[in-house]
PDB file of all heavy atoms in Angstrom:
ATOM      1  N   VAL A 213      -9.775  -0.071  26.737  1.00  0.00           N
ATOM      2  CA  VAL A 213      -9.138   1.153  27.218  1.00  0.00           C
ATOM      3  C   VAL A 213     -10.174   2.088  27.837  1.00  0.00           C
ATOM      4  O   VAL A 213      -9.903   2.749  28.850  1.00  0.00           O
ATOM      5  CB  VAL A 213      -8.385   1.854  26.066  1.00  0.00           C
ATOM      6  CG1 VAL A 213      -7.838   3.202  26.514  1.00  0.00           C
ATOM      7  CG2 VAL A 213      -7.248   0.974  25.585  1.00  0.00           C
ATOM      8  N   LEU A 214     -11.367   2.151  27.245  1.00  0.00           N
ATOM      9  CA  LEU A 214     -12.421   2.984  27.818  1.00  0.00           C
ATOM     10  C   LEU A 214     -12.786   2.510  29.221  1.00  0.00           C
ATOM     11  O   LEU A 214     -12.960   3.319  30.140  1.00  0.00           O
ATOM     12  CB  LEU A 214     -13.652   2.958  26.915  1.00  0.00           C
ATOM     13  CG  LEU A 214     -13.546   3.727  25.587  1.00  0.00           C
ATOM     14  CD1 LEU A 214     -14.818   3.514  24.772  1.00  0.00           C
ATOM     15  CD2 LEU A 214     -13.329   5.204  25.835  1.00  0.00           C
ATOM     16  N   LEU A 215     -12.912   1.196  29.400  1.00  0.00           N
ATOM     17  CA  LEU A 215     -13.254   0.669  30.719  1.00  0.00           C
ATOM     18  C   LEU A 215     -12.145   0.931  31.725  1.00  0.00           C
ATOM     19  O   LEU A 215     -12.389   1.369  32.855  1.00  0.00           O
ATOM     20  CB  LEU A 215     -13.537  -0.831  30.619  1.00  0.00           C
ATOM     21  CG  LEU A 215     -14.819  -1.228  29.883  1.00  0.00           C
ATOM     22  CD1 LEU A 215     -14.908  -2.741  29.749  1.00  0.00           C
ATOM     23  CD2 LEU A 215     -16.043  -0.692  30.630  1.00  0.00           C
ATOM     24  N   LEU A 216     -10.893   0.676  31.322  1.00  0.00           N
ATOM     25  CA  LEU A 216      -9.768   0.916  32.224  1.00  0.00           C
ATOM     26  C   LEU A 216      -9.608   2.405  32.518  1.00  0.00           C
ATOM     27  O   LEU A 216      -9.303   2.797  33.648  1.00  0.00           O
ATOM     28  CB  LEU A 216      -8.483   0.353  31.611  1.00  0.00           C
ATOM     29  CG  LEU A 216      -8.402  -1.176  31.512  1.00  0.00           C
ATOM     30  CD1 LEU A 216      -7.146  -1.607  30.781  1.00  0.00           C
ATOM     31  CD2 LEU A 216      -8.448  -1.807  32.894  1.00  0.00           C
ATOM     32  N   GLY A 217      -9.828   3.250  31.473  1.00  0.00           N
ATOM     33  CA  GLY A 217      -9.728   4.685  31.681  1.00  0.00           C
ATOM     34  C   GLY A 217     -10.793   5.201  32.630  1.00  0.00           C
ATOM     35  O   GLY A 217     -10.534   6.063  33.476  1.00  0.00           O
ATOM     36  N   GLY A 218     -12.017   4.658  32.506  1.00  0.00           N
ATOM     37  CA  GLY A 218     -13.072   5.058  33.428  1.00  0.00           C
ATOM     38  C   GLY A 218     -12.747   4.649  34.853  1.00  0.00           C
ATOM     39  O   GLY A 218     -12.960   5.405  35.803  1.00  0.00           O
ATOM     40  N   ALA A 219     -12.198   3.432  35.018  1.00  0.00           N
ATOM     41  CA  ALA A 219     -11.814   2.977  36.358  1.00  0.00           C
ATOM     42  C   ALA A 219     -10.709   3.856  36.926  1.00  0.00           C
ATOM     43  O   ALA A 219     -10.707   4.192  38.121  1.00  0.00           O
ATOM     44  CB  ALA A 219     -11.364   1.521  36.292  1.00  0.00           C
ATOM     45  N   TRP A 220      -9.762   4.242  36.072  1.00  0.00           N
ATOM     46  CA  TRP A 220      -8.681   5.132  36.510  1.00  0.00           C
ATOM     47  C   TRP A 220      -9.235   6.466  36.983  1.00  0.00           C
ATOM     48  O   TRP A 220      -8.829   6.984  38.038  1.00  0.00           O
ATOM     49  CB  TRP A 220      -7.698   5.330  35.356  1.00  0.00           C
ATOM     50  CG  TRP A 220      -6.798   6.529  35.484  1.00  0.00           C
ATOM     51  CD1 TRP A 220      -7.034   7.794  35.044  1.00  0.00           C
ATOM     52  CD2 TRP A 220      -5.499   6.561  36.109  1.00  0.00           C
ATOM     53  NE1 TRP A 220      -5.981   8.625  35.337  1.00  0.00           N
ATOM     54  CE2 TRP A 220      -5.027   7.897  35.989  1.00  0.00           C
ATOM     55  CE3 TRP A 220      -4.709   5.614  36.737  1.00  0.00           C
ATOM     56  CZ2 TRP A 220      -3.790   8.289  36.481  1.00  0.00           C
ATOM     57  CZ3 TRP A 220      -3.468   6.012  37.224  1.00  0.00           C
ATOM     58  CH2 TRP A 220      -3.023   7.323  37.106  1.00  0.00           C
ATOM     59  N   ALA A 221     -10.161   7.050  36.216  1.00  0.00           N
ATOM     60  CA  ALA A 221     -10.728   8.350  36.582  1.00  0.00           C
ATOM     61  C   ALA A 221     -11.479   8.269  37.907  1.00  0.00           C
ATOM     62  O   ALA A 221     -11.356   9.157  38.758  1.00  0.00           O
ATOM     63  CB  ALA A 221     -11.647   8.850  35.467  1.00  0.00           C
ATOM     64  N   TRP A 235      -8.894  12.403  33.259  1.00  0.00           N
ATOM     65  CA  TRP A 235      -8.982  11.843  31.911  1.00  0.00           C
ATOM     66  C   TRP A 235      -7.718  12.092  31.096  1.00  0.00           C
ATOM     67  O   TRP A 235      -7.665  11.758  29.917  1.00  0.00           O
ATOM     68  CB  TRP A 235     -10.190  12.424  31.172  1.00  0.00           C
ATOM     69  CG  TRP A 235     -11.469  11.980  31.795  1.00  0.00           C
ATOM     70  CD1 TRP A 235     -12.333  12.730  32.539  1.00  0.00           C
ATOM     71  CD2 TRP A 235     -12.028  10.664  31.771  1.00  0.00           C
ATOM     72  NE1 TRP A 235     -13.392  11.976  32.973  1.00  0.00           N
ATOM     73  CE2 TRP A 235     -13.238  10.713  32.520  1.00  0.00           C
ATOM     74  CE3 TRP A 235     -11.634   9.463  31.200  1.00  0.00           C
ATOM     75  CZ2 TRP A 235     -14.035   9.580  32.687  1.00  0.00           C
ATOM     76  CZ3 TRP A 235     -12.436   8.346  31.381  1.00  0.00           C
ATOM     77  CH2 TRP A 235     -13.616   8.420  32.108  1.00  0.00           C
TER      78      TRP A 235
END
Side-chain angles (χ1 to χ4, degrees):
V213 174
L214 288 176
L215 290 175
L216 292 175
W220 161 270
W235 293 108

